[in-house]
Structures are given as structure tokens and as C-alpha cells.
Amino acid sequence: MGYPYAGFADVFPRFPAIKTMVGTGESDVATVDVSSIYCRDAEGIVDGYLAARYVIPLTATALITHITCDIAIFNMGVDRMPRIPEWMQTRYDRAIKNLELLRDGDMLLNPASQSTVSTGDNEAWSSTGSF
């Protein structure tokens, strides 16, 4: 089961505009679903990108929480809106780009709080290569 990278309390301060999407109406997202469905689904995407480089579940850092929230909000929009607003698409695209940078090693999580996975792509080096 997923580790809680983000939840309802993380999403709302970042996206006050989504309050109109959450409620009890037929087309609204139930408050509990923000954490139990959308954040958990976003965590699965985060884990999917980073499992090759990091031991998952990760320790929730500000960056991982931010990425998870951006993906969760985008997925809520996809499910509930006829058209995705540009700001939502931009934040999602940036979240995916950050995951790619982390996965590829061009950006790193705090090494004190994360363990990396050996990819087997290491090469041996020798100063006596021609001997």
C-alpha cells in the first residue's frame, strides 16, 4: 500500500480554487476521495517513475508532496471538468518533468532521507587499462 506523500490537508493550501470541486453534490469530489483516491493514485505515479532509482516508499519531502499534489489535482480535473485549465496542465507537466529529472539523476532528493537503488549501470575504471 502507498505511503502518504500528500493528503487533503496538503492539496487545499496549494489549490484554493478547487474548493468548488469538492463537496457532496453528484459531480463533486468527496473530501475523503481527495486523499483516498486522487492522492493515492498520484503516489503510484511518483513511485512508478522513481522506483528504478530510489527505494520506495519514499520519505515525504516538500518536493515529493508538491509533485503528488500537482498530479492529484490534475487527475481530479480530468475526472470532473469538461476542459483542463492551462494552469492545471502547466503544473502537471512540471510535476512530470521533475519526476523525469529525479528518475534520470539530473535532480536528486535529499540523500540523508532517501536510499538509492543500484541500476547496474556502473562501470569499473582502472589506471592500468592497457596492461
Side-chain angles (χ1 to χ4, degrees):
M1 192 67 180
Y3 186 84
Y5 301 152
F8 182 81
D10 299 303
V11 171
F12 268 84
R14 287 177 171 81
F15 304 99
I18 66 155
K19 288 183 182 178
T20 59
M21 292 173 58
V22 176
T24 57
E26 187 176 313
S27 63
D28 292 336
V29 177
T31 302
V32 68
D33 290 347
V34 173
S35 294
S36 67
I37 295 174
Y38 294 101
C39 288
R40 295 306 157 255
D41 288 352
E43 289 173 1
I45 293 169
V46 170
D47 285 349
Y49 269 92
L50 301 183
R53 179 164 297 274
Y54 295 96
V55 174
I56 57 171
L58 301 166
T59 300
T61 64
L63 177 61
I64 294 300
T65 297
H66 187 95
I67 289 170
T68 302
C69 288
D70 284 351
I71 294 170
I73 287 299
F74 178 80
N75 288 338
M76 284 174 56
V78 166
D79 283 356
R80 304 297 177 175
M81 299 175 142
R83 186 179 154 278
I84 297 298
E86 184 178 339
W87 66 267
M88 201 178 274
Q89 184 69 54
T90 299
R91 292 181 82 130
Y92 175 80
D93 292 344
R94 185 178 57 215
I96 297 300
K97 179 65 177 168
N98 284 334
L99 287 174
E100 291 169 347
L101 291 169
L102 287 166
R103 176 197 64 203
D104 298 341
D106 295 325
M107 182 169 38
L108 300 173
L109 293 173
N110 178 355
S113 65
Q114 308 299 330
S115 297
T116 58
V117 174
S118 175
T119 62
D121 292 337
N122 302 326
E123 294 182 18
W125 178 82
S126 171
S127 62
T128 60
S130 62
F131 296 112

